[in-house]
Amino acid sequence: MYSFVLREISETTGAHADLKVFVSPAETSMISAMSGKPRFVSIDEVEMYRNAAEAAKQDTRQAQKTYQEMTAQEESKVRQRYPAILQFDYKFDRANKEPFNISEIYRDDKFTYIKGVPQETPTVYEVKDGKPSLIQYQFSAGLYTIPKIVDQGYLVVGKKKLAFHRLSAAR
């Protein structure tokens, strides 16, 4: 739909113009839309699509429910087995509280965990072959999660250091 405002600009007073306006679309998309078939869908087709959409929603809900049940069962199995996997075989100076406030260091078969509430989040180093190397970790809710098993290492905040080592690690 187009709207036009036309004005008579001739010098003749009371003149009346007889005008025609022709609109010629230049864009290909406009030309094909104007010359194409009207896009109407019958009410039967609309109803068919609605029913198909509702059936797909039901299938999705059922699949989600099944997945959640399976996940809950697997999670339950892992929670039952997991405590037996944890190894509390690390030694560290528990008297050296400030600023680390570490309560436990333990591991499973893939990760090392350090539990504590530090005043300031320390840097964690691993010692291998007598040389320290910086370790990447995640800290959340008082738990450091190191994505590997660390046999020997230490935490550092400023000039303070807290060393730890695994008792069962081969020296």
Side-chain angles (χ1 to χ4, degrees):
M1 179 181 288
Y2 297 93
S3 296
F4 297 95
V5 175
L6 305 173
R7 289 191 198 135
E8 172 64 43
I9 58 169
S10 71
E11 303 279 326
T12 313
T13 323
H16 179 65
D18 184 19
L19 304 172
K20 287 186 181 180
V21 177
F22 295 95
V23 177
S24 300
E27 292 181 26
T28 315
S29 62
M30 287 295 293
I31 294 170
S32 63
M34 288 173 55
S35 62
K37 295 181 180 178
R39 295 190 178 142
F40 296 106
V41 179
S42 71
I43 191 71
D44 293 336
E45 284 184 86
V46 170
E47 198 57 40
M48 180 184 73
Y49 289 130
R50 279 189 186 143
N51 291 340
E54 189 57 40
K57 285 180 186 176
Q58 289 292 350
D59 290 346
T60 302
R61 283 188 209 112
Q62 185 59 43
Q64 286 175 334
K65 183 179 176 184
T66 302
Y67 175 76
Q68 288 171 346
E69 289 171 355
M70 287 175 34
T71 303
Q73 289 173 355
E74 287 300 314
E75 183 180 335
S76 175
K77 288 178 188 176
V78 168
R79 285 184 186 269
Q80 288 173 357
R81 288 191 316 255
Y82 196 69
I85 295 172
L86 293 178
Q87 300 293 315
F88 293 83
D89 56 352
Y90 284 89
K91 184 172 181 171
F92 63 97
D93 184 8
R94 292 181 185 272
N96 190 2
K97 288 260 186 205
E98 300 294 327
F100 305 103
N101 298 321
I102 301 301
S103 58
E104 297 176 308
I105 301 176
Y106 55 97
R107 67 179 174 85
D108 58 17
D109 57 347
K110 294 181 184 172
F111 296 93
T112 302
Y113 304 97
I114 301 173
K115 188 174 184 181
V117 186
Q119 293 174 351
E120 183 179 332
T121 307
T123 305
V124 182
Y125 290 90
E126 177 180 30
V127 178
K128 272 197 174 179
D129 301 325
K131 296 181 182 178
S133 69
L134 187 63
I135 296 178
Q136 296 295 323
Y137 63 88
Q138 292 202 359
F139 181 75
S140 177
L143 186 66
Y144 302 83
T145 304
I146 302 170
K148 65 183 195 174
I149 296 174
V150 178
D151 292 331
Q152 184 177 359
Y154 58 91
L155 300 135
V156 175
V157 171
K159 293 184 179 185
K160 296 198 176 198
K161 180 177 175 181
L162 175 66
F164 64 89
H165 66 274
R166 202 172 99 191
L167 297 173
S168 58
R171 297 243 181 205

